[in-house]
Amino acid sequence: MSESPPRPPPAAAVLEIGERLAEAPSKDLTTIAFSRELKAQLGLARAIGWVDLAHALSFAKAGLIPRASARSLIVALLELSAAPSSFAPKAECGDLYTNREAWLAQRTPAAGWLGLARARREALTTAYHLVLCDELLDLGEALTAFVEILCEASLRHRESLAPDYTYLQAAQPTTFGHYLQSFAWPALRDLDRLEGLYERVDRCPAGIGGVNGSAIVRNRRELSERLGFREPVRHARDAMWQADLAIEAAALAVTAIVNLDRLCEDLMIFATSEFGFVRLADRHGRASKIMPQKRNPFALAFVRGLANRLLGVQTQLAATARTPSAQMDNRLFAYEAAPDALRSATDAVRLVNACVAEMQFDEARALDALRDRSVCASDLAERVMIATGTDHRSAHGVVGRLLRTLEEKGQCLAQATLGDLRGALRDVGLPVTGVTEELLRSALDPMVCVAARSDVGGACSFEVRAMAETAADAARKVREAVATKRAHRQAALQRLHAEVEDFARGA
Amino acid sequence: MSESPPRPPPAAAVLEIGERLAEAPSKDLTTIAFSRELKAQLGLARAIGWVDLAHALSFAKAGLIPRASARSLIVALLELSAAPSSFAPKAECGDLYTNREAWLAQRTPAAGWLGLARARREALTTAYHLVLCDELLDLGEALTAFVEILCEASLRHRESLAPDYTYLQAAQPTTFGHYLQSFAWPALRDLDRLEGLYERVDRCPAGIGGVNGSAIVRNRRELSERLGFREPVRHARDAMWQADLAIEAAALAVTAIVNLDRLCEDLMIFATSEFGFVRLADRHGRASKIMPQKRNPFALAFVRGLANRLLGVQTQLAATARTPSAQMDNRLFAYEAAPDALRSATDAVRLVNACVAEMQFDEARALDALRDRSVCASDLAERVMIATGTDHRSAHGVVGRLLRTLEEKGQCLAQATLGDLRGALRDVGLPVTGVTEELLRSALDPMVCVAARSDVGGACSFEVRAMAETAADAARKVREAVATKRAHRQAALQRLHAEVEDFARGA
Amino acid sequence: MSESPPRPPPAAAVLEIGERLAEAPSKDLTTIAFSRELKAQLGLARAIGWVDLAHALSFAKAGLIPRASARSLIVALLELSAAPSSFAPKAECGDLYTNREAWLAQRTPAAGWLGLARARREALTTAYHLVLCDELLDLGEALTAFVEILCEASLRHRESLAPDYTYLQAAQPTTFGHYLQSFAWPALRDLDRLEGLYERVDRCPAGIGGVNGSAIVRNRRELSERLGFREPVRHARDAMWQADLAIEAAALAVTAIVNLDRLCEDLMIFATSEFGFVRLADRHGRASKIMPQKRNPFALAFVRGLANRLLGVQTQLAATARTPSAQMDNRLFAYEAAPDALRSATDAVRLVNACVAEMQFDEARALDALRDRSVCASDLAERVMIATGTDHRSAHGVVGRLLRTLEEKGQCLAQATLGDLRGALRDVGLPVTGVTEELLRSALDPMVCVAARSDVGGACSFEVRAMAETAADAARKVREAVATKRAHRQAALQRLHAEVEDFARGA
Amino acid sequence: MSESPPRPPPAAAVLEIGERLAEAPSKDLTTIAFSRELKAQLGLARAIGWVDLAHALSFAKAGLIPRASARSLIVALLELSAAPSSFAPKAECGDLYTNREAWLAQRTPAAGWLGLARARREALTTAYHLVLCDELLDLGEALTAFVEILCEASLRHRESLAPDYTYLQAAQPTTFGHYLQSFAWPALRDLDRLEGLYERVDRCPAGIGGVNGSAIVRNRRELSERLGFREPVRHARDAMWQADLAIEAAALAVTAIVNLDRLCEDLMIFATSEFGFVRLADRHGRASKIMPQKRNPFALAFVRGLANRLLGVQTQLAATARTPSAQMDNRLFAYEAAPDALRSATDAVRLVNACVAEMQFDEARALDALRDRSVCASDLAERVMIATGTDHRSAHGVVGRLLRTLEEKGQCLAQATLGDLRGALRDVGLPVTGVTEELLRSALDPMVCVAARSDVGGACSFEVRAMAETAADAARKVREAVATKRAHRQAALQRLHAEVEDFARGA
C-alpha cells in the first residue's frame, strides 16, 4: 500500500492549484475574501480539532484509512489540537480547514486522508454546532443567575415603595421589588426558548459526505455519539445547510438582550440626579475626562449599544440565509456571528447581573416621587366608584377634574380635602354618600394601594414573595439541566480523547 | 344607585377632553398619530369583542357592576361583536378601544362601566394574544401540509435522478425526491418552534389593572379560563408589556419563510429554459404585457418579496422593543405587525404548497444535466482511493487532473476511458491495480452513486422513504395537536358566548 | 384599419388567459399574491393616470395609434383619471396596471393600444418616480419648517439656562436655545441629502419598452418633458430597475426621523415630573383610561414608534434589492414602502413641529437642575489650571476629589468655600496662588460659563443668534427651491392635461 | 510654574480611580465592556495621533500649555504616532484615548496637558471623521474603476448578442455590452452620493470642549485647517454627536454593494454549466475539497455574503442612533462599523473589478440561448401590429397563441412559418396584409431587433458606445476630484507634521 507522492508547498497543495484550478487565487481574492472568511472561522478552531479527531478515528476503525497512516494522522491532529504556535492560520492557505490541512501536510503525508468522504463544510458545520451548544449552555447559566439575582432583589425590596411609570410618567404605586422582578419572567421565557434551540442544535451533521450522504461508509450515528451529540441531524442535505438555527440563535440573543436593555434604560433614568432612586456602583461607571463631577453609568449605556449590535446581527443572519439553497455564503459570517451573538448576550447578562447585585436603591428618593400622591388617582377613582355606586367612567372623570382644580390652585392630590372630593362629585351631580375621610386617606396611602393588589401577579408583598419562589425554583431546575448537559458533552469529549490517545499509542 | 350623567359628544367623552386634558387632540395628532395607531389595531377588532364580554361578565358576576347596567352593557357589547355597519372607527375617537367605547356610549350609559379596573392596554393586549394564538394555529396547519406535500413529492421522485448543486454548480448525483424533502425538515423545526411560542402566547394578560394588579378584584384565573387561555401570565407587570413574544413571532415567520424562499429561489432557477427541470403550473405564473412568450413564475418571486418584507418586520419589532420599559410605542405597530408576519408566512406556505403540488418535473432535462458525469467525480475519486489504497487527497488530485486533461481535449468525464484514468494515476506515480473498467463504469453511473448513499439521511431510495415516513408521522401529530388546541379555544368562546347571552337574558 | 375583436371578460382579457397561459390564476395566487401586490400599488393610482395619458398622447402624435382609436383611448383615460367610483381595483384583475386596462377595455376597444411598446413595469415605475418626487418635496417643506421653528425657539431661549446632559447626567451649563438648535443642523443635512436624491429621482424611466429600449419609436425625451421630469434616466435597463433609489429614500427617511426621535426621547425625559423642564401641550398628549392623573406624551412616543417602523422599512428595501437583476419582487412592496417611508417622515416632522412650537419651557425647574453647580466642575478645573499653571489632569483630579469630599459631608459644589478648594489643592501639593474667591464664584456661575463659550458653534448668546440666522437663511433657500420645483412639476402636468384635452376634442 | 505630582500606575491614573470614582472598574466591566469598546476603536489609532498633535500644538501656540511641557508632550506624541511596539492597548486602561494617555503618562508628566479643554469623545470623533474621509476617497477610487471597467467591457461586447432576462426568463434580445453597462450607472449615482457625504464628513468637530464649546480658547477654525478639513462643523453640540453620518455611510455602502451583488448573482447563474455564458477566471474561484470537478465561483458568493453583512451593519447603525441625545453608545461600535462598512464596500468593488475584467464571455452559448427566438416575440407582435394596423393587445394575443400552438407541435418560434403566423391572425379575424416573409424574418433576427433599439439608453451599438463615453467621462471627473481631495488632505497633514516637528525642535 503506497503513501502519496512528495508534497507541494502548503497553499497550492490544499487549494488544488495546478490540479483542478489552473491558477493560484488572486491577491484580491486572498486579501479580501479568504482573509475575512478565515477570520470569521477562528472561533471554531478548538471545536474543529475534536471533529477531525472523531472523523479520523471513525474512518480508521472502519478500516478505510490504513492503520499506520491513521496513527500518524491522529498523532498530528492531537498535536494541532493543543494549538501550537506553529499553527498561524493565514489567508494564503484558504480557510480554517485548509490551513489545518496545510499544517498537517507539512508534518505527515497521512494528512492526505483527512478529507476522506467529507466536504470541508461538514467539518466546519459540525464544529459550529459544538460551539453553539457551548454558547447556549453559557447563556443558560448566565440567565439563570439573572433570574436568581432579580428574585433575591425583589424579595429584599418587596416593601420598598416606588412609582410604576408608563411613558415615564408616574402611573401607580408599586414596590421596587415587584418592578425588578418583572424582568425575571421574560428571562425565564428566554430559558425556555434556549432549551428548545439547544434540542435543535444538539444534533450532529457529521458524516454527510459531499451533500447527501457518503457513498463509502455508514458512520453518522457513531460520529454523533463520539462528539457528544444527541443524534445525527436526520436528513443529510438539510444537515449541511440548516439556516434556521442561526436565525433562531440571533433571535434568542435579541430577546435576551432586549430584556436587559429595557432594564438598563430604566436604570439610566432612575440613576439621574433628577430621579435619584438608584445609584450604580462606581466600579460599573466611568469618569469623564473633562467633567470632574461625572460618574457615567457606562455599563448601562454599553448594554444598549450591544443590544443594537445584535439587532444588526439578526438582520445579517436572516438576510444571509435568503439565497438559493446550498450557498457557501449562508455560512460565511454565520460561523462567527451566531456564536458571537450568543456570547454577547451572555456577557451582557453577566454585566447586568453585577450591576443589579451591587446597585443601591434610595428609598427616600423613591418615596419623594410618590409624595404628591398623583399615582393614587386611579385607586381613589375606584374607591369612589364602589362607595357611590357610580360608574367607572364618571368616577374617573371626577378625579380627573379634581386634579385639574387642585393644579390650578397650585396643589397636588396629597393636599386634597374631603371637601374638595365631595365638591367634585357634586359638581357633576353625583352622590357623596360613602365618600369619607377614611376612604380618601386609604386611597391616598400608597402602601394600602399596593397591599390591595393581591391577585395573581400583583404587587402585594406576599404575591411578590410567592412569584419569587416560583421563578427561583424554575431557575434552579434550569441550572441543573444546564449542568447535566454540560457534563454529558464533556464526558463524551473526554472519552473521545482517551480513545484517540489509545489509538495513537497503538493500544 | 345612580347612573352617570348625560354624555358629551363621543370623541370628547372617551378622550377625557375637558376632564384631565384641557384641549382636544390637535389635528396633526389625530390625522398622523391616532389614525396610524387605529389602523394598526383593526385586526384586533373581533378578538377585543370577546375580551370585553369576558371582562364585563366577570365584573358583573363579582357584583362590581350593578346588574341592570351590566345587562345593558353586555347587550350593547353583543351587538358590537356582530360588527354592525354603524361601527366605523375613526381617528377622531382615538384608538380601537375608545372608538368602541364611543359607540357604546351612544347606546347606553352603562358604557361607563367598561373601563372598570382596566387600562385600555389590558384589553388590547389580551385581544392581541387571542389573535396571535389563532395565527399560530393557522401557520401550524399550513406548515403541516407543507411537510406532507414535500414528503409525498419526495416519495414520488425518490428515484428521479438529478444533480445536487452547491454554488449553483452541479455537485453530486441525487434524486429530486431527496432534494425536495430537504425542505420538509426545517419546516418540522419551525413546527417545534411554533409549539414553544404557542405555549408562551397561550397565557392571559387580562385582569392586571393599570400596571401591577387590580386593587378591587381577584379574577385573573377566571378571565383566563373564560377566554380559553391555559393560565394567566404570572407577573402582572410583565403581562402588560411582554416584548419578547413579538420578536419571537417575527423570527418564527422569518425562519419559516426563509425556508420557502430558498426552495422558491431554486425553483426559479430550475424553471429557466436553460435548466428546465421544473415547470410551474400556468395558474401560478403571470403573462407579460409586452413579451408574448413569457410565463413568469410570479408566485416564486412573490414569496421572495414577502420574505424580504418579513425581514423588515423582524427589524421593526426588535427595534420597537428597545426602549425604557412600559412604553406604549412598544405595541403601537406590533399589534398589527406580529400577527401580520405570521399571516404572511402562512399565506406564503399555502402558495408554495400549491406550487409544489402542481409543478411538473422533467426527468429528461434533469438527466441531461448529469450527462457529462462531472457530478460523479467524487465517487470516482473515492473508488480509486479504495481500490488503490492511495490517500484521499491524492485520489482527488488525480481525478481533478483527469478532468482538466479531458477538458483540454474538449471531452467530459463521461468520455473518460480506463486508459485515461490509469494514465492520470501513473502520471503521479500511483498504482493502477484494481482500477478496472467496472470501477470506472460504476463510479460514473449516477444511479449506483445514489444507491450507495445509504447511511442516515442519505439519498438512496429506501432512506428517502424511511425519512418521508418519519417526517409525515411527525406532521400528523402536529396536525392533531393543532386541531385539539383550536377546538379548545373555540369551545371556550362558545361557552363564553352562551354565558353572556344567558346573562343578557337575565337567565 | 380594423379594431380588435369583441373582448372576453375583464380578468381573462388582461391576464392573457387562454392566450399565453392555459389557465386562470389560482385562488391562492389571486388572494395571496395579486391582492398584496395590488394593495401596494394603490398609492400610484393618480400618478399612473398621468403616465398613461402622456404615453397615449405621445404614441398618437407619432402616428402609431390610429387617430380615432387614440382619441377614444384618451377620452377613457381622462375619465379614469378622475377616479370614478366604477374603478374598484380587485385582485382578480391582477395589479393596478391590468385593473386599469380591464376598466378601459369595458369602455373602448381602443384599450388594446394602451400596452403599445411598453411593459407594465415601465408605467408603474414612471408613476413611482412621480410619486417619490412629490413626497420628497413634501418632506423638504416639512423639514424646512422644522429648522425655522427650532431657530425661532433657539432665539427665544438663547439665554434660558439649563444643563446639557450626557448619559442623562448633567454635564455642563448651556441654554435651552443652544440645545434645541442642535437638532436644526442635522435637519439641514437631511435637506442636502434630499436635494441630492431629488436630482436622482427627477429622471424619467418612460419609453424604455420591454427592457432595453423600444424597437418602434424614439420618444423618451418627449415623455420625460411631458411629465415634468428633468431628463430621461439615461440607460434603459438601469431605468427599469434602479434599486438604489428606494434604499436611499429609506435612509433619508431614517436619518430625518432619527433626528426627531432623539429630540422626542429627550423631551419625554424633560417632561417627566422629576425633570420638569418641559410641558407638552395637552393637545399633543393623551389621557389614560384608568389613571385620572395622567397626561401621556403620546405624540413623542408615537414618533419613536414610527422611527422604529422606518428602521424596518430600511431593512426591507435593502433586502428586497438583493436578488439577481430584473426581478419583479424588487418593486413588489417598494412601490408602497419607499413613498410611505418618506410620507411617514414628513408626518413625523409635522407632528414634532407642532409639539415644539407649542410646548412650554419651565425656566425655574431648569435652574433648579443647575442649583448644585456640579455642572460647573469642568469650568472650575479649567480656571484652577490657568490660575495655578498646573496641568489639566491635575486640576481635574483636584476638583474630582473636592467633589467627593463635599459629597461625604453631604454638600454640593455650590457650597464649596475657597478654603475647601485651596485645601484640595494643597492636599496634592499644588499651589493656591491665583485661586481666589472671585475665581470660585465666576467658575460656579452658569451664566458666566455659558457666556465664555464663544467660539464657532458655542453656547454663548450671540453665537446662538448667529447660527440661528445662518440656519434660517439656509432653510429659506430650500423653501424657495422646493417651491420652484413643485411649480415646475405642476406646470408640466397642466400643460399635459391641456394637450390631451385638446387632442380628445380633436383640436 | 509647577508640573504635576508623581503619577499613580497607568490604569488608575487615567480612569480617575481614587479621584472621582471610589473603585476600579469591575472585572466584568473591563473584560466585557471596555475590551469591546477598545477593539472597536483600534481603527482610529493612526488618525487620533494626528488629532492629538494638532490639539497639543494649537493649545501650545495659544500659550495655554507651558512651552516646555508642550514640547515634551509633542515629542511623546510623535513617538506614539509611529505606533511603537510598547503601545499595546489593553482594556484595563480603558478605551483608545485613555490607553494613549496611560502610555504618555509613563513617559512624561506633560501628558497631564493632553486632556485640556477636551472630552475624549472630541478626539475620537475627530479621528473618526478623518478615517471616514479616507475611506470615502478609497471607495470613490474603486467605484470609478468599476465604471471604467464596465464601460470598456460594454464597448468590447456591444455587439455580442445575448438574451436579457426578467424573472430569469429570457425576455428580449440584447447585447452583453448593454447588459453589463447597466451596472455602471448605479455606480455613478453612488459616486454622486459619495460626493455629498464627503462634503458632510469633511468638517471638523475639534475644539468643542465638553459639549457646547470651550470656555477657554477659540481655536476651532485653526484645528479644522490644520487637520485638512474644509471647515468646522458649525454647531458644537451637533458636532459632538452627528448620528446621521454613520447611517448615511452605511446606506452608501449598501447601495454600492447591492449593485455589485446583483451583478454577481447574475454572473453566478450565467456561470452555471446550464447557462454557460460566462466563465470566471480560476483565480477567483475555489476548488472543492471533495468534488474534484468543481470550480466554485467563490468571489461571487463572497460578495453576496458581504452584502448581507452590510445590511446588518445598516440596521445596527440606525438602531444605535435611536436614543436620547448625547449617549456614548451612539458611537460605541459606530467608530468601527461605519468605516468598516465603507471599507467592505471598497473591497467588494475591487474584487468584482478583477472578476469582471478577467472573466470570459462565451458568445456561442449566449447565441444558443437565443436560438429558439422566443425572445423575439414582442418584436414580432409590434411588427404585426404596425403592418396590419391592429391594436397592440390583439397583436400580442396573436403571437401568444402562435407560441402555444407551436409549443403543442413541439416547435419553437424560430420554426414558425409565414403560414403559421397568418393562420394565427386569421383565427381571430385579423387581416394579414403586410404580414410578409420579410417581416417575419426581420422580427426573428435578434441583431435586427437590437439595432432598432436606438432611442436614449437603448441597446443598439452606437447608443451603447455613446453611453459608455458619457459614463467614462463622468468617472474620469470623479477620479480627478478624488485625487484632488486626497492631495489636499495629505498636504495638510504633512504641514502639520512639519509644524509639530519644528515645535518639538524648539524652532
Side-chain angles (χ1 to χ4, degrees), chain A residues 163 165-172 265 268-269 271-275 277 279 282 286-298 301 311 315 319-320 322-324 329 369 372 374-379 381-382 392-393 395-397 399-400 403-404 407, chain C residues 163 165-172 265 268-269 271-275 277 279 282 286-298 301 311 315 319-320 322-324 329 369 372 374-379 381-382 392-393 395-397 399-400 403-404 407:
Chain A
Y165 294 86
T166 60
Y167 292 84
L168 302 183
Q169 303 284 322
Q172 290 191 332
E265 301 223 28
M268 271 188 92
I269 292 167
T272 58
S273 60
E274 287 79 2
F275 277 74
F277 302 171
R279 180 163 162 177
D282 275 15
R286 181 156 79 176
S288 161
K289 298 305 299 177
I290 181 167
M291 294 168 289
Q293 86 280 12
K294 297 202 79 186
R295 284 193 202 90
N296 289 320
F298 187 79
L311 259 66
T315 297
T320 275
R322 215 222 74 223
T323 61
D329 50 307
D372 71 8
S374 63
V375 289
C376 298
S378 55
D379 284 68
E382 287 177 357
H392 168 264
R393 181 71 194 77
H396 180 93
V399 176
L403 281 155
R404 277 185 67 204
E407 208 171 62
Chain C
Y165 294 85
T166 60
Y167 292 83
L168 301 183
Q169 303 285 322
Q172 292 191 331
E265 300 225 27
M268 272 189 90
I269 292 167
T272 58
S273 60
E274 289 77 3
F275 276 74
F277 302 170
R279 181 163 162 178
D282 275 15
R286 180 156 81 175
S288 161
K289 296 307 298 177
I290 181 168
M291 295 167 288
Q293 84 280 12
K294 296 203 80 187
R295 284 191 201 90
N296 289 319
F298 187 78
L311 257 67
T315 296
T320 275
R322 215 222 73 223
T323 62
D329 50 306
D372 71 9
S374 63
V375 290
C376 298
S378 54
D379 285 68
E382 288 177 356
H392 168 264
R393 181 72 194 76
H396 181 93
V399 175
L403 281 155
R404 278 186 65 202
E407 209 171 61

Side-chain angles (χ1 to χ4, degrees), chain C residues 322-340:
Chain C
R322 215 222 73 223
T323 62
S325 62
Q327 300 295 320
M328 82 83 197
D329 50 306
N330 293 164
R331 291 291 162 80
L332 188 56
F333 299 111
Y335 286 143
E336 178 178 46
D340 183 62

Side-chain angles (χ1 to χ4, degrees), chain D residues 164-331:
Chain D
D164 204 333
Y165 294 86
T166 61
Y167 292 84
L168 301 182
Q169 303 284 323
Q172 291 190 331
T174 193
T175 65
F176 195 58
H178 187 267
Y179 162 80
L180 275 180
Q181 205 196 83
S182 71
F183 298 91
W185 293 87
L188 286 171
R189 288 193 294 277
D190 284 326
L191 287 167
D192 279 348
R193 285 178 196 109
L194 190 150
E195 193 187 354
L197 175 53
Y198 188 88
E199 288 291 290
R200 287 181 273 283
V201 175
D202 183 22
R203 295 179 189 217
C204 186
I208 46 180
V211 288
N212 56 6
S214 172
I216 56 169
V217 74
R218 297 175 54 94
N219 64 355
R220 292 195 61 211
R221 291 205 185 282
E222 185 186 313
L223 284 168
S224 172
E225 206 177 319
R226 278 217 170 89
L227 289 164
F229 286 103
R230 197 171 159 224
E231 60 180 5
V233 185
R234 182 64 196 266
H235 189 287
R237 189 175 189 278
D238 173 43
M240 192 69 141
W241 297 110
Q242 294 171 85
D244 49 333
L245 301 181
I247 300 173
E248 189 182 4
L252 171 62
V254 166
T255 53
I257 204 168
V258 160
N259 185 37
L260 303 174
D261 172 275
R262 289 154 80 97
L263 174 56
C264 289
E265 301 224 27
D266 285 358
L267 293 179
M268 272 188 91
I269 292 167
F270 295 165
T272 57
S273 60
E274 288 78 4
F275 277 74
F277 303 170
V278 156
R279 180 163 162 178
L280 210 61
D282 274 15
R283 64 202 220 99
H284 298 128
R286 181 155 79 176
S288 161
K289 297 306 298 177
I290 181 165
M291 294 167 288
Q293 85 279 13
K294 296 202 79 188
R295 283 193 201 90
N296 289 320
F298 187 78
L300 303 178
F302 175 80
V303 169
R304 180 169 56 202
L306 199 55
N308 288 322
R309 201 164 161 275
L310 296 194
L311 257 66
V313 172
Q314 186 186 35
T315 297
Q316 172 190 343
L317 286 172
T320 275
R322 214 222 75 221
T323 61
S325 62
Q327 300 295 322
M328 81 83 198
D329 50 306
N330 293 164
R331 292 291 163 81

Side-chain angles (χ1 to χ4, degrees), chain B residues 163 165-172 265 268-269 271-275 277 279 282 286-298 301 311 315 319-320 322-324 329 369 372 374-379 381-382 392-393 395-397 399-400 403-404 407, chain D residues 163 165-172 265 268-269 271-275 277 279 282 286-298 301 311 315 319-320 322-324 329 369 372 374-379 381-382 392-393 395-397 399-400 403-404 407:
Chain B
Y165 293 85
T166 60
Y167 291 85
L168 302 183
Q169 303 284 324
Q172 292 191 332
E265 301 224 28
M268 272 188 91
I269 292 167
T272 58
S273 59
E274 288 78 2
F275 277 74
F277 304 169
R279 181 163 162 177
D282 275 14
R286 181 156 79 176
S288 161
K289 297 306 298 177
I290 181 167
M291 294 167 289
Q293 85 279 14
K294 296 202 80 187
R295 284 191 200 91
N296 290 319
F298 187 78
L311 257 65
T315 296
T320 275
R322 214 221 74 223
T323 62
D329 51 306
D372 71 9
S374 63
V375 289
C376 298
S378 53
D379 285 67
E382 289 176 356
H392 167 265
R393 181 72 194 74
H396 180 93
V399 176
L403 282 155
R404 277 186 65 203
E407 207 173 61
Chain D
Y165 294 86
T166 61
Y167 292 84
L168 301 182
Q169 303 284 323
Q172 291 190 331
E265 301 224 27
M268 272 188 91
I269 292 167
T272 57
S273 60
E274 288 78 4
F275 277 74
F277 303 170
R279 180 163 162 178
D282 274 15
R286 181 155 79 176
S288 161
K289 297 306 298 177
I290 181 165
M291 294 167 288
Q293 85 279 13
K294 296 202 79 188
R295 283 193 201 90
N296 289 320
F298 187 78
L311 257 66
T315 297
T320 275
R322 214 222 75 221
T323 61
D329 50 306
D372 71 8
S374 63
V375 290
C376 297
S378 54
D379 285 68
E382 288 177 357
H392 167 265
R393 181 72 194 77
H396 180 93
V399 176
L403 281 155
R404 277 186 65 202
E407 209 171 60

Side-chain angles (χ1 to χ4, degrees), chain A residues 1-2 4-5 7 13 16 18-20 22 64 101 112-113 115-117 164-168 172-174 178-179 181-182 185-186 189 192-193 200 210-216 218-221 234-238 241-244 247-248 251 254-255 258 261-262 265-266 269 304 308 311 314-315 318-319 321-328 330 379 382 385-386 389-394 396-397 401 403-404 407 452-459 463 466-467 470, chain B residues 1-2 4-5 7 13 16 18-20 22 101 112-113 115-117 164-168 172-174 178-179 181-182 185-186 189 192-193 200 210-216 218-221 234-238 241-244 247-248 251 254-255 258 261-262 265-266 269 304 308 311 314-315 318-319 321-328 330 379 382 385-386 389-394 396-397 401 403-404 407 452-459 463 466-467 470:
Chain A
M1 196 167 291
S2 99
S4 59
R7 299 268 128 194
E16 328 270 321
E19 297 178 358
R20 183 51 177 159
L64 279 157
E101 203 183 357
W113 290 99
L116 175 55
D164 205 333
Y165 294 86
T166 60
Y167 292 84
L168 302 183
Q172 290 191 332
T174 194
H178 188 266
Y179 162 79
Q181 206 196 83
S182 70
W185 293 88
R189 288 193 294 277
D192 280 348
R193 286 177 195 109
R200 287 180 276 282
V211 288
N212 56 6
S214 173
I216 56 169
R218 294 175 56 93
N219 64 355
R220 291 196 62 211
R221 291 204 185 282
R234 182 65 196 266
H235 190 287
R237 188 174 190 279
D238 174 43
W241 298 111
Q242 294 171 84
D244 50 332
I247 300 173
E248 189 181 5
V254 165
T255 53
V258 160
D261 173 276
R262 289 155 79 98
E265 301 223 28
D266 285 359
I269 292 167
R304 181 169 54 202
N308 288 322
L311 259 66
Q314 187 186 34
T315 297
R322 215 222 74 223
T323 61
S325 63
Q327 300 294 322
M328 81 85 198
N330 293 164
D379 284 68
E382 287 177 357
M385 176 190 75
I386 291 170
T390 192
D391 68 284
H392 168 264
R393 181 71 194 77
S394 303
H396 180 93
R401 276 184 300 265
L403 281 155
R404 277 185 67 204
E407 208 171 62
R453 283 156 168 79
S454 60
D455 196 1
V456 178
E463 178 64 5
M467 290 191 289
T470 305
Chain B
M1 199 167 286
S2 98
S4 59
R7 300 269 128 194
E16 328 271 322
E19 297 180 356
R20 183 50 179 159
E101 204 183 356
W113 290 100
L116 176 54
D164 204 333
Y165 293 85
T166 60
Y167 291 85
L168 302 183
Q172 292 191 332
T174 193
H178 188 266
Y179 162 79
Q181 204 195 84
S182 71
W185 293 88
R189 288 192 294 278
D192 279 347
R193 286 178 196 108
R200 288 180 274 283
V211 289
N212 55 8
S214 173
I216 56 170
R218 296 174 55 93
N219 64 354
R220 292 196 61 211
R221 291 204 185 283
R234 182 64 196 267
H235 190 287
R237 188 175 191 277
D238 173 44
W241 298 109
Q242 295 172 84
D244 50 333
I247 300 174
E248 190 181 3
V254 165
T255 53
V258 160
D261 171 276
R262 289 155 79 98
E265 301 224 28
D266 285 358
I269 292 167
R304 180 169 55 202
N308 288 322
L311 257 65
Q314 186 187 36
T315 296
R322 214 221 74 223
T323 62
S325 62
Q327 301 294 321
M328 81 84 198
N330 293 164
D379 285 67
E382 289 176 356
M385 176 188 76
I386 291 170
T390 193
D391 67 285
H392 167 265
R393 181 72 194 74
S394 303
H396 180 93
R401 275 184 302 264
L403 282 155
R404 277 186 65 203
E407 207 173 61
R453 283 158 168 76
S454 60
D455 195 1
V456 178
E463 178 65 4
M467 290 191 289
T470 305

Side-chain angles (χ1 to χ4, degrees), chain C residues 353-420:
Chain C
N353 285 352
C355 289
V356 170
E358 298 173 30
M359 75 186 177
Q360 286 168 30
F361 175 70
D362 187 330
E363 302 220 2
R365 292 294 307 270
L367 280 175
D368 261 14
L370 297 167
R371 200 163 33 181
D372 71 9
R373 299 302 188 244
S374 63
V375 290
C376 298
S378 54
D379 285 68
L380 178 58
E382 288 177 356
R383 284 174 185 263
V384 164
M385 176 189 75
I386 291 170
T388 63
T390 192
D391 67 286
H392 168 264
R393 181 72 194 76
S394 303
H396 181 93
V398 163
V399 175
R401 275 184 301 265
L402 171 62
L403 281 155
R404 278 186 65 202
T405 313
L406 289 165
E407 209 171 61
E408 281 157 22
K409 292 192 287 183
Q411 294 186 332
C412 64
L413 190 54
Q415 295 164 290
T417 63
L418 183 58
D420 291 336

